[in-house]
Amino acid sequence: MKKIFFLSTISAVILMASCKKDLNQVPISNSTTATFYKSPSDFLQGANAVYADLHNYPVRLLNMSEIRSDNIYGVSVTVRDWDPVNDFSPSLAANAYVTEAWATDFNGIFRANTLLDQIAKNGSFIGSALLATRLQAEAKFLRAFYYFDLVKYFGKLPIIDHPVTAPEANTINRSSVPDVYKLIIADLQAAITDLPTSYTGVDVGRATKYAAEALLAQVYMAKSASNYGIEGPGTGSNEWNLALPLLQDVINSGQFAFNPVYSSVFSYTNQSPTTNKEAVFDVMYTSGISGSADLYGASFPWTLAPNTYFLSIKDTKSNGSLEIIPVSNDLANSYAAADTRKAFSLYTAGYTNAGTTEIRPFFKKWLDITKIPTASRFDWGINYIAIRYTDILMLKAECILHGAPGAQGDVDAIVNQVRTRAGLPSVSGVTLDQLFDERRREFADEGLRWFDLQRSGNLLTIMNAWIAKEDAQKAIKPVVANYVIYPVPQTQLDAAPGLYSQNPGY
């Protein structure tokens, strides 16, 4: 397994440190961009630094998509950072998760801009036009990846497509969502043209043409969805027919495959992208690097699992969340008795710690208690599949149901492939509502649910019906259209007072 070397947030305009996926790399010291980019390895390290800001991406998905959705009923005894996310507080601007999302994604964007600028200015030092083109395409893919993540959370964004100083950044206002999408789409179209279809050796795991195609399809689909009357990720553009050929090209490539065993998709012994054919694009981690667990290892496996569970099995390294973040009864009860995904994804057996018994279920999809790290709870050794082949298939079905070329039989075949793997009988005449219902169970604990709800056009109806049924403590506020996206972080409003207006409702 390879690693993503995560770096603390720094100004990528001034400093560039390194992030290496191969195991024998040593980070460079603080070099200025003016003196750093002088050899091919410098540019490779610069590219790896852009990948580094993916390190917290899966944790963010779980905290801001899974917890926000009807998959979690997260009312805590002591107010935690996830509570206002789960209960739709209008006072989220200073929330740690919201602040991290904006800061980390933009740090990745700044690093990508720096790399692109240096390739333009000093690309002759790379020595290979082919490598220069590939690194440029990787930077554009990642810049698009970070901007797409941001637009789904925040709507309008400042468009920064070149290196800027901090004072300059404080003069750039937010642009409209359609304009943000123009940059994302242009970057991905360029990446598709110039990225290789596969890699060998230490480069395995970098963005490929097929990862870029899959991401662009997701962009068109998010853009096509309902706008809910706000300036969020949906624009009602109805571009499902643009997404479908991209998804089909990934399918036709032959490089990826539907794993017939659900648990194997998430196995710690099936981590290489060359063997795990479900992985179209991974965020990669490696455990056991002495003194560097926070840089190389993963923490997302326990993000939605409670520390008290780990204590109950005599693990004392404080793995797990401060309190239980329970799976909603609605989700737990939605699994058919024969559905094998429930037992794999949800811990439902209950446990006792310090004389207290907990019976509420929690997510455990990414946990293997035989693989608990010995050094640090931040050092789990499993990759996060950011783009999964099963998702490609189900997104294809979604496009067809929205009128893109294809037949009902194609949709049914995809859904039944997923259901058969889960031990369920076949169905026919699958509707969009049924497709999203199946997606909810298939991708539970993978951080997709909130974005699926955004795209479904039924987010408000589904969430408010769920609240009425689930919220016995009356802790969750009614969901209104403004809550489809998050507020602009208070740190950004304070950095340049008057530059940004807050998203309505916050």
Side-chain angles (χ1 to χ4, degrees):
M1 190 191 314
K2 299 182 182 180
K3 66 173 171 272
I4 292 289
F5 183 176
F6 176 64
L7 298 158
S8 300
T9 300
I10 56 174
S11 171
V13 182
I14 307 300
L15 302 176
M16 286 294 288
S18 74
C19 131
K20 284 299 176 184
K21 289 186 173 184
D22 45 306
L23 297 178
N24 60 356
Q25 293 293 332
V26 178
I28 60 170
S29 58
N30 295 343
S31 303
T32 67
T33 55
T35 60
F36 174 57
Y37 288 94
K38 298 296 184 183
S39 71
S41 63
D42 295 340
F43 284 89
L44 284 167
Q45 290 189 63
N48 291 336
V50 190
Y51 281 94
D53 281 306
L54 294 172
H55 187 278
N56 204 53
Y57 175 70
V59 174
R60 184 182 316 129
L61 283 177
L62 298 179
N63 284 330
M64 293 181 67
S65 173
E66 205 75 49
I67 287 178
R68 188 73 159 172
S69 77
D70 52 354
N71 285 355
I72 292 286
Y73 183 56
V75 179
S76 305
V77 174
T78 301
V79 176
R80 306 296 183 183
D81 285 338
W82 60 76
D83 285 300
V85 172
N86 190 236
D87 65 24
F88 295 92
S89 168
S91 303
L92 273 174
N95 183 271
Y97 301 150
V98 173
T99 301
E100 184 278 333
W102 184 287
T104 304
D105 278 341
F106 267 112
N107 196 65
I109 290 165
F110 295 154
R111 287 174 168 175
N113 287 339
T114 299
L115 178 60
L116 289 167
D117 182 65
Q118 288 300 310
I119 291 172
K121 292 178 178 177
N122 297 312
S124 60
F125 288 110
I126 298 175
S128 163
L130 187 64
L131 178 58
T133 298
R134 194 200 83 194
L135 293 177
Q136 183 180 60
E138 288 182 69
K140 289 186 176 182
F141 169 86
L142 290 166
R143 183 169 67 180
F145 189 102
Y146 294 129
Y147 259 120
F148 186 43
D149 197 44
L150 285 165
V151 79
K152 290 185 292 183
Y153 288 126
F154 301 107
K156 296 191 301 180
L157 299 165
I159 294 176
I160 303 174
D161 60 0
H162 61 281
V164 296
T165 64
E168 288 173 328
N170 288 339
T171 67
I172 301 172
N173 212 327
R174 297 165 76 195
S175 294
S176 70
V177 169
D179 283 346
V180 175
Y181 274 131
K182 287 178 183 177
L183 174 64
I184 295 171
I185 291 168
D187 274 353
L188 290 174
Q189 287 173 336
I192 289 167
T193 299
D194 292 333
L195 284 173
T197 58
S198 63
Y199 295 90
T200 59
V202 297
D203 289 323
V204 171
R206 293 180 178 275
T208 66
K209 168 191 173 181
Y210 299 119
E213 286 186 327
L215 187 61
L216 182 55
Q218 292 180 25
V219 169
Y220 283 133
M221 293 176 73
K223 184 170 179 276
S224 296
S226 169
N227 66 14
Y228 296 95
I230 65 166
E231 294 182 277
T235 69
S237 61
N238 197 32
E239 295 173 306
W240 311 99
N241 61 318
L242 297 181
L244 183 59
L246 296 163
L247 298 168
Q248 192 61 53
D249 200 50
V250 177
I251 295 167
N252 291 343
S253 72
Q255 291 198 21
F256 312 99
F258 183 85
N259 194 319
V261 180
Y262 189 70
S263 60
S264 180
V265 177
F266 312 97
S267 170
Y268 282 63
T269 59
N270 187 29
Q271 288 298 290
S272 169
T274 59
T275 60
N276 190 348
K277 297 299 185 180
E278 283 266 359
V280 179
F281 183 63
D282 268 341
V283 179
M284 291 184 164
Y285 302 89
T286 292
S287 61
I289 306 298
S290 178
S292 303
D294 292 4
L295 299 177
Y296 297 98
S299 59
F300 71 89
W302 57 258
T303 295
L304 299 181
N307 185 47
T308 49
Y309 165 72
F310 289 97
L311 293 174
S312 77
I313 60 173
K314 311 305 180 186
D315 171 57
T316 60
K317 289 182 292 301
S318 297
N319 284 292
S321 59
L322 295 173
E323 294 186 41
I324 190 170
I325 308 175
V327 170
S328 69
N329 291 326
D330 185 62
L331 174 60
N333 294 337
S334 74
Y335 288 88
D339 195 329
T340 58
R341 295 171 298 189
K342 182 177 182 179
F344 182 76
S345 301
L346 277 60
Y347 187 88
T348 59
Y351 62 90
T352 300
N353 177 63
T356 299
T357 299
E358 178 61 74
I359 62 171
R360 290 173 291 177
F362 62 85
F363 281 127
K364 70 172 185 70
K365 176 179 282 185
W366 302 99
L367 293 179
D368 180 343
I369 61 173
T370 70
K371 305 293 185 182
I372 294 177
T374 58
S376 164
R377 65 177 181 152
F378 301 103
D379 196 31
W380 290 75
I382 185 170
N383 297 338
Y384 173 77
I385 306 175
I387 302 175
R388 183 148 77 87
Y389 185 67
T390 300
D391 194 19
I392 298 298
L393 297 174
M394 297 187 84
L395 291 174
K396 173 185 173 180
E398 186 178 338
C399 288
I400 293 171
L401 288 172
H402 276 288
Q408 182 67 51
D410 300 325
V411 174
D412 293 348
I414 289 169
V415 172
N416 286 327
Q417 189 176 19
V418 173
R419 289 177 61 83
T420 298
R421 179 170 66 183
L424 300 175
S426 296
V427 293
S428 60
V430 174
T431 66
L432 271 170
D433 287 346
Q434 290 172 318
L435 178 66
F436 278 107
D437 194 46
E438 200 65 60
R439 287 181 60 86
R440 185 187 186 192
R441 290 180 290 272
E442 176 68 19
F443 301 110
D445 199 19
E446 295 181 49
L448 303 190
R449 179 59 175 169
W450 186 251
F451 304 131
D452 280 1
L453 288 170
Q454 284 180 346
R455 210 171 56 252
S456 75
N458 295 321
L459 185 151
L460 303 183
T461 301
I462 292 171
M463 287 302 300
N464 284 312
W466 170 76
I467 291 168
K469 179 169 59 174
E470 184 94 20
D471 186 21
Q473 298 188 40
K474 306 299 181 186
I476 305 180
K477 297 166 184 62
V479 182
V480 297
N482 289 328
Y483 296 161
V484 171
I485 56 176
Y486 284 89
V488 176
Q490 191 62 45
T491 53
Q492 302 305 310
L493 300 177
D494 292 342
L499 179 64
Y500 302 153
S501 58
Q502 184 55 278
N503 284 336
Y506 295 100

